Amino acid sequence: MGTQSTTKTIFLLTSMVGWLIFGAALMYLFPAIADRLVNNELTHTWMATLSRGSYQPTLGLVVGSVAGAFSTLLTVVWYQQFEERA
């Protein structure tokens, strides 16, 4: 088996966590996305029920955007600064 630098291991783990958070935000946003795409009585009822609780689609949008931007930026920096040397 080959060896891998500590820096690359940290990059891979950090990137994985960022994309997992991004995916979780998309799952959190699914009811709002479904309501906009399908636009029927069932999805409207679903959103009304969720809105009575603490469901805030804006939270998923902000967290997903930040996680996606961070992961993308991390990947760009990695490939510009470190990949050529590894």
Side-chain angles (χ1 to χ4, degrees), residues 54-73:
S54 60
Y55 180 71
Q56 295 292 330
T58 307
L59 174 67
L61 186 64
V62 170
V63 170
S65 299
V66 169
F70 175 74
S71 294
T72 302
L73 180 64

Side-chain angles (χ1 to χ4, degrees), residues 36-63:
R36 298 248 177 153
L37 289 177
V38 177
N39 200 18
N40 65 17
E41 191 59 38
L42 180 62
T43 59
H44 294 318
T45 303
W46 191 13
M47 285 300 292
T49 303
L50 287 171
S51 296
R52 281 184 255 160
S54 60
Y55 180 71
Q56 295 292 330
T58 307
L59 174 67
L61 186 64
V62 170
V63 170

Side-chain angles (χ1 to χ4, degrees), residues 3-84:
T3 60
Q4 180 172 294
S5 70
T6 304
T7 308
K8 188 166 189 172
T9 302
I10 292 170
F11 160 73
L12 290 171
L13 290 173
T14 307
S15 180
M16 183 176 22
V17 168
W19 289 116
L20 284 170
I21 292 170
F22 180 77
L26 283 178
M27 288 189 296
Y28 185 79
L29 283 171
F30 180 77
I33 293 169
D35 188 43
R36 298 248 177 153
L37 289 177
V38 177
N39 200 18
N40 65 17
E41 191 59 38
L42 180 62
T43 59
H44 294 318
T45 303
W46 191 13
M47 285 300 292
T49 303
L50 287 171
S51 296
R52 281 184 255 160
S54 60
Y55 180 71
Q56 295 292 330
T58 307
L59 174 67
L61 186 64
V62 170
V63 170
S65 299
V66 169
F70 175 74
S71 294
T72 302
L73 180 64
L74 182 67
T75 303
V76 167
V77 168
W78 171 263
Y79 282 107
Q80 285 182 350
Q81 300 295 322
F82 298 107
E83 188 61 27
E84 293 147 4

